[in-house]
Amino acid sequence: MAEDDPQQDEHGAGRRLRADARRNEDAVLEAARVVFAEHGVDAPVREIALRAGVGMGTLYRRFPTRADLVAAVFRREVDACAAEAQALAAAHPPLAALVRWLRRYSGFIGTKRGLSAALHSGDPAFDTLPDYFRERFTPALAGLLETAVAARQIRAGVDPYDLLRAIGNLSVATESGGADHTGRMIDLIVDGLRFGADG
Amino acid sequence: MAEDDPQQDEHGAGRRLRADARRNEDAVLEAARVVFAEHGVDAPVREIALRAGVGMGTLYRRFPTRADLVAAVFRREVDACAAEAQALAAAHPPLAALVRWLRRYSGFIGTKRGLSAALHSGDPAFDTLPDYFRERFTPALAGLLETAVAARQIRAGVDPYDLLRAIGNLSVATESGGADHTGRMIDLIVDGLRFGADG
DNA sequence: TGATAAACGGAGCGTCGCTCCGTATATGCA
DNA sequence: TGCATATACGGAGCGACGCTCCGTTTATCA
């Protein structure tokens, strides 16, 4: 990857940020991630700036709106979760990698309660999020599924996006339900995938 | 109805408000309805108080939270919409009453964009709204359906809540779609109901 | 027709998202 | 390396928000 190349803009476009600007953008995103996780997405921007060690001006130059910051953090977390699919695939047998990633994904969805409210707020900053979500997660899961199919550990013909939605719904709805109810439901679904596999 | 009896509390519980208090509560609800319709549910409370000709203290004594006010207005509008079912049933033949009410209901849902965001906000003031919605609308529609079935104008066996959800979804999703797209979809559904009716 | 409980009203508090602009510094050229 | 300058920083401050507080007014009833 060329992400460490200071000449290379993170988003590919013609921007070229000063080194301190890049550092601060990163610090803000990381601080926002932590603060949102601790206090919810309604946490004040000031607190994020404080935690990032950055002034309000700096923060708002990069993220013109509160919603832009929320959306950026969300995209970052989607990227991180999707990227783990490859890491897990490299470190585990196909079926184990699949199960681990589904749990990871479920955990990701389960902690994003405030986000569903944001998505329905009508703020244009969130308009592209559903597509982003789908574009990143579908190939990630598709890769895991194909590998497991090729190893004859699960059956073929499962649509990745269907599975994402199913487990997503499971994970959102589950607030109560006792010890790892969602985990057991995931196991159940995976067993369903295994049924009819060749090996 | 006994609603005009000043001894009778609106909600049945043991409260007995002073006459001015009752007047003001009503003025606030009506003002809030208008302001929310004009400027969305995010409209400032001050504007509602101003329009109602009432001080902030008065408003907040009755509705301790912004969300409480929003919820109260919503319940009021649900009541009004549900009550129209009986009025329409008295004024029109069964099938016509049914169609008119479905359009009325569709219009109600269609103007409640901001509300779906509120429902997902997690504010406890909204917790009981889904149940309220269902408890009021299901019998209202059930009555219309039964009358039309008895007149052999539609077939039996249609679940009122299913129909509420179906038309609700139609009405929410439709922002674009051209002239009265939702209306045509309702007609389509009604034709489906008529299919197989005896008369 | 007072006495009094009940209700009113709006100035003001704390906080929010966001802006503005004087200051600091990373960068490219000599 | 030293300088000029575009670039970025930081935080006081603005307007608006939800909500509270409490001195004033009024409906109620003996």
Side-chain angles (χ1 to χ4, degrees), chain A residues 85-143:
Chain A
Q86 293 184 21
L88 289 169
H92 300 278
L95 185 65
L98 175 63
V99 171
R100 279 166 194 262
W101 189 81
L102 288 178
R103 287 179 179 277
R104 167 74 166 89
Y105 167 76
S106 169
F108 171 75
I109 298 297
T111 58
K112 294 291 161 295
R113 183 95 357 106
L115 198 88
S116 78
L119 263 343
H120 292 85
S121 71
D123 192 305
F126 300 124
D127 283 352
T128 64
L129 284 191
D131 282 349
Y132 192 87
F133 180 95
R134 180 167 184 162
E135 281 166 17
R136 300 280 162 147
F137 279 151
T138 307
L141 177 54

Side-chain angles (χ1 to χ4, degrees), chain A residues 119-124 127, chain B residues 106-107 109-114 116 167-185:
Chain A
L119 263 343
H120 292 85
S121 71
D123 192 305
D127 283 352
Chain B
S106 169
I109 299 295
T111 56
K112 294 290 162 294
R113 183 95 357 104
S116 78
I167 293 186
N169 290 340
L170 273 180
S171 310
V172 166
T174 299
E175 187 160 3
S176 57
D180 199 26
H181 170 263
T182 305
R184 291 197 307 277
M185 295 303 291

Side-chain angles (χ1 to χ4, degrees), chain A residues 139-153:
Chain A
L141 177 54
L144 292 170
L145 287 173
E146 281 160 20
T147 306
V149 167
R152 301 186 187 283
Q153 293 189 304

Side-chain angles (χ1 to χ4, degrees), chain A residues 33 36-37 74 77-78 80-82 84 88 98-115 133 137 163-164 166-175 180-186:
Chain A
R33 191 187 61 77
F36 287 155
F74 178 73
E77 295 195 84
V78 167
C81 185
E84 262 184 55
L88 289 169
L98 175 63
V99 171
R100 279 166 194 262
W101 189 81
L102 288 178
R103 287 179 179 277
R104 167 74 166 89
Y105 167 76
S106 169
F108 171 75
I109 298 297
T111 58
K112 294 291 161 295
R113 183 95 357 106
L115 198 88
F133 180 95
F137 279 151
L163 194 52
L164 283 174
I167 292 186
N169 289 340
L170 274 180
S171 309
V172 165
T174 299
E175 187 160 4
D180 198 27
H181 169 263
T182 306
R184 290 198 306 278
M185 294 301 291
I186 291 177

Side-chain angles (χ1 to χ4, degrees), chain A:
Chain A
M1 298 206 222
E3 276 186 16
D4 296 324
D5 181 354
Q7 307 290 351
Q8 181 66 30
D9 173 65
E10 178 177 353
H11 299 105
R15 248 167 60 197
R16 198 160 99 194
L17 290 178
R18 238 168 64 174
D20 52 351
R22 273 184 76 90
R23 261 198 315 276
N24 282 330
E25 179 167 334
D26 211 69
V28 166
L29 282 172
E30 178 58 19
R33 191 187 61 77
V34 173
V35 170
F36 287 155
E38 273 178 8
H39 301 82
V41 284
D42 288 334
V45 173
R46 262 180 251 267
E47 186 178 339
I48 295 167
L50 191 69
R51 180 168 206 124
V54 146
M56 300 292 294
T58 299
L59 197 156
Y60 271 95
R61 198 173 316 103
R62 212 67 62 203
F63 307 99
T65 268
R66 214 193 158 287
D68 292 321
L69 177 57
V70 173
V73 169
F74 178 73
R75 276 192 286 267
R76 240 203 183 193
E77 295 195 84
V78 167
D79 289 345
C81 185
E84 262 184 55
Q86 293 184 21
L88 289 169
H92 300 278
L95 185 65
L98 175 63
V99 171
R100 279 166 194 262
W101 189 81
L102 288 178
R103 287 179 179 277
R104 167 74 166 89
Y105 167 76
S106 169
F108 171 75
I109 298 297
T111 58
K112 294 291 161 295
R113 183 95 357 106
L115 198 88
S116 78
L119 263 343
H120 292 85
S121 71
D123 192 305
F126 300 124
D127 283 352
T128 64
L129 284 191
D131 282 349
Y132 192 87
F133 180 95
R134 180 167 184 162
E135 281 166 17
R136 300 280 162 147
F137 279 151
T138 307
L141 177 54
L144 292 170
L145 287 173
E146 281 160 20
T147 306
V149 167
R152 301 186 187 283
Q153 293 189 304
I154 65 169
R155 70 162 179 264
V158 179
D159 181 59
Y161 190 59
D162 282 351
L163 194 52
L164 283 174
R165 299 225 320 165
I167 292 186
N169 289 340
L170 274 180
S171 309
V172 165
T174 299
E175 187 160 4
S176 57
D180 198 27
H181 169 263
T182 306
R184 290 198 306 278
M185 294 301 291
I186 291 177
D187 289 342
L188 193 65
I189 289 177
V190 170
D191 286 345
L193 296 178
R194 297 174 69 180
F195 186 83
D198 292 7

Side-chain angles (χ1 to χ4, degrees), chain B residues 28-87:
Chain B
V28 166
L29 282 172
E30 178 58 19
R33 191 187 62 77
V34 173
V35 170
F36 287 155
E38 272 179 9
H39 301 86
V41 284
D42 288 334
V45 173
R46 263 181 251 266
E47 186 179 339
I48 295 167
L50 191 69
R51 180 167 206 125
V54 146
M56 299 292 294
T58 300
L59 198 157
Y60 271 96
R61 199 173 315 104
R62 212 67 62 204
F63 307 99
T65 268
R66 217 192 157 287
D68 292 321
L69 178 57
V70 173
V73 170
F74 178 74
R75 275 191 287 267
R76 237 201 185 196
E77 296 194 84
V78 168
D79 289 346
C81 185
E84 262 184 55
Q86 293 185 21

